[in-house]
Amino acid sequence: MAEKRAAAAVRDQDFVPAGRRDLELDHTYGSQSFWRDALSRFGKNKGAVFGLVMIVVIVFMAFAGPALSGYDYRTQDMAQRNLPPHVAGLEVLPFFSGIQTQTVGGRSVKTDVYAEKGIKGVTHVFGTDTLGRDQFARTWTGTRVSLYVALLAILIDTFVGMSYGLVSGYFGGRVDFFLQRIVEILSTIPTTVIVTLLIVVMKPGLTSITIALMITEWIGMSRVARAQTLRLKEQEFVLASRTLGESTPAIMFREILPNIFGQIIVMCMMTIPNAIFTEAFLAFIGLGIPAPLASLGSLISDGFKSMTMYPYMVACPVVVLALLMLSFNLLADGLRDAFDPKMKEM
């Protein structure tokens, strides 16, 4: 009898009602759009967020920096030539002390250049160049050129490269064959050669650099857009649109383009550092904008000539250029992972 009661008690315990929390076995998640999901993944990427913040800071300084310095980037003052970085009131900081270290007879000699020249209460955050021009104003003015090149690269990739790739990939056949032969011919011509030939018939400046970028900068984007179009043009939704009588431009720009827009944005961010470096390289070898205009490449070229005596002249524009290119690379990697998480595992 006792055994039957114990067995009944065990059976009763097997059917004890579960608590309210235990009953919530499933959780209903709210649906998210593709763009909201991509933004969420992007926000979790610390490197990409850092790159975006640095780009915002550099853009702000490029437009506000020259005004904050209180100097014009073209103004020359031979009495203040070759001055090291100095900020009035912050002389206790080594970088802004205005003290220059030189090696004389195998010994390091520190000289207060500002006191030696009798200059007081003057601030030059990045120092001055060989003509007495403020390097802070010239560096941030030169950054505007790099940002202009970055914006130009985005516009060229978006309108020229994207459209070229869509047309080539969608039509295929002879159209694709002819367009791709043009791409192959243009891709074999170095940008330096194109700029050199343009300078023969044009004056050196942003116009020649702009035309050179328009000739070759869109090639990479066109290949990406073509490859993605070839992948999507035989999909069911494209065939359905074609069956319903949609026009060819409508299919390309309403059906195919939205599905490859993520890759296009990533490719744009990837090409920006290359375009900035191209402009800096052309300016470094003397094919960039003429004096007294400044770009980061021309500032590096001028500072390189006196790097052993005045290293700050080349260090400041190099650091700004490196930060700008690094920030765009970090942003591009973050956008790539946000739009296509599977790429991170490859």
Side-chain angles (χ1 to χ4, degrees):
M1 194 67 179
E3 293 179 356
K4 293 181 178 180
R5 291 179 179 178
V10 171
R11 287 194 297 270
D12 292 340
Q13 292 177 0
D14 291 342
F15 294 95
V16 174
R20 190 174 186 85
R21 294 183 179 179
D22 297 333
L23 292 175
E24 295 177 358
L25 300 178
D26 297 326
H27 181 76
T28 303
Y29 293 91
S31 60
Q32 293 191 55
S33 65
F34 170 78
W35 293 102
R36 187 183 295 273
D37 190 40
L39 181 61
S40 176
R41 285 194 295 265
F42 179 84
K44 296 177 182 179
N45 191 324
K46 296 181 180 179
V49 174
F50 171 79
L52 179 60
V53 171
M54 287 303 303
I55 291 173
V56 173
V57 172
I58 291 175
V59 170
F60 172 78
M61 290 302 300
F63 290 95
L68 294 175
S69 69
Y71 298 95
D72 186 82
Y73 73 96
R74 296 165 294 184
T75 303
Q76 302 179 15
D77 188 353
M78 299 305 292
Q80 298 187 16
R81 60 194 298 265
N82 300 328
L83 294 178
H86 175 266
V87 177
L90 296 179
E91 290 84 359
V92 293
L93 299 178
F95 186 77
F96 299 123
S97 62
I99 296 177
Q100 182 175 335
T101 303
Q102 294 180 340
T103 302
V104 180
R107 296 183 304 172
S108 296
V109 178
K110 295 184 177 180
T111 306
D112 190 342
V113 181
Y114 287 80
E116 184 179 6
K117 293 186 176 183
I119 302 174
K120 298 181 180 180
V122 174
T123 295
H124 292 289
V125 181
F126 290 168
T128 60
D129 62 3
T130 54
L131 296 176
R133 296 173 294 192
D134 183 72
Q135 282 288 88
F136 187 82
R138 289 183 63 78
T139 298
W140 293 119
T141 302
T143 306
R144 296 178 185 177
V145 177
S146 297
L147 294 175
Y148 164 79
V149 172
L151 178 61
L152 180 66
I154 293 176
L155 295 177
I156 293 174
D157 282 347
T158 303
F159 293 102
V160 180
M162 181 191 68
S163 302
Y164 195 95
L166 281 173
V167 172
S168 179
Y170 183 81
F171 288 99
R174 294 181 179 180
V175 175
D176 182 51
F177 178 83
F178 177 74
L179 294 180
Q180 291 308 304
R181 299 295 81 76
I182 296 177
V183 168
E184 292 175 0
I185 293 173
L186 292 177
S187 62
T188 58
I189 305 175
T191 305
T192 307
V193 175
I194 296 176
V195 175
T196 304
L197 294 176
L198 289 174
I199 290 177
V200 173
V201 296
M202 300 175 59
K203 295 181 180 179
L206 282 177
T207 304
S208 58
I209 295 176
T210 300
I211 296 176
L213 292 176
M214 291 181 65
I215 294 175
T216 60
E217 186 62 27
W218 53 270
I219 293 177
M221 172 61 76
S222 69
R223 288 173 173 169
V224 172
R226 173 180 176 270
Q228 296 296 324
T229 304
L230 289 173
R231 181 178 63 88
L232 294 175
K233 73 175 185 177
E234 299 300 333
Q235 296 291 325
E236 289 79 1
F237 67 93
V238 177
L239 295 176
S241 299
R242 193 179 300 141
T243 304
L244 293 174
E246 286 281 355
S247 63
T248 298
I251 294 176
M252 287 193 297
F253 292 99
R254 292 181 185 177
E255 303 296 338
I256 297 178
L257 180 59
N259 288 278
I260 66 174
F261 200 67
Q263 290 83 352
I264 289 176
I265 293 176
V266 173
M267 190 62 188
C268 284
M269 295 297 106
M270 289 289 188
T271 56
I272 286 175
N274 182 49
I276 293 175
F277 178 78
T278 300
E279 185 279 326
F281 171 74
L282 294 174
F284 183 82
I285 63 177
L287 298 179
I289 60 178
L293 296 175
S295 70
L296 293 178
S298 62
L299 291 175
I300 295 173
S301 178
D302 294 339
F304 180 77
K305 300 173 185 177
S306 54
M307 182 176 62
T308 56
M309 293 291 294
Y310 312 106
Y312 59 87
M313 290 187 184
V314 68
C316 295
V318 163
V319 170
V320 174
L321 179 62
L323 283 176
L324 185 60
M325 295 181 64
L326 175 64
S327 299
F328 275 113
N329 276 317
L330 291 175
L331 179 62
D333 289 339
L335 290 175
R336 180 195 61 194
D337 297 340
F339 286 118
D340 192 358
K342 295 180 181 179
M343 290 293 294
K344 191 175 183 179
E345 302 174 359
M346 298 178 62

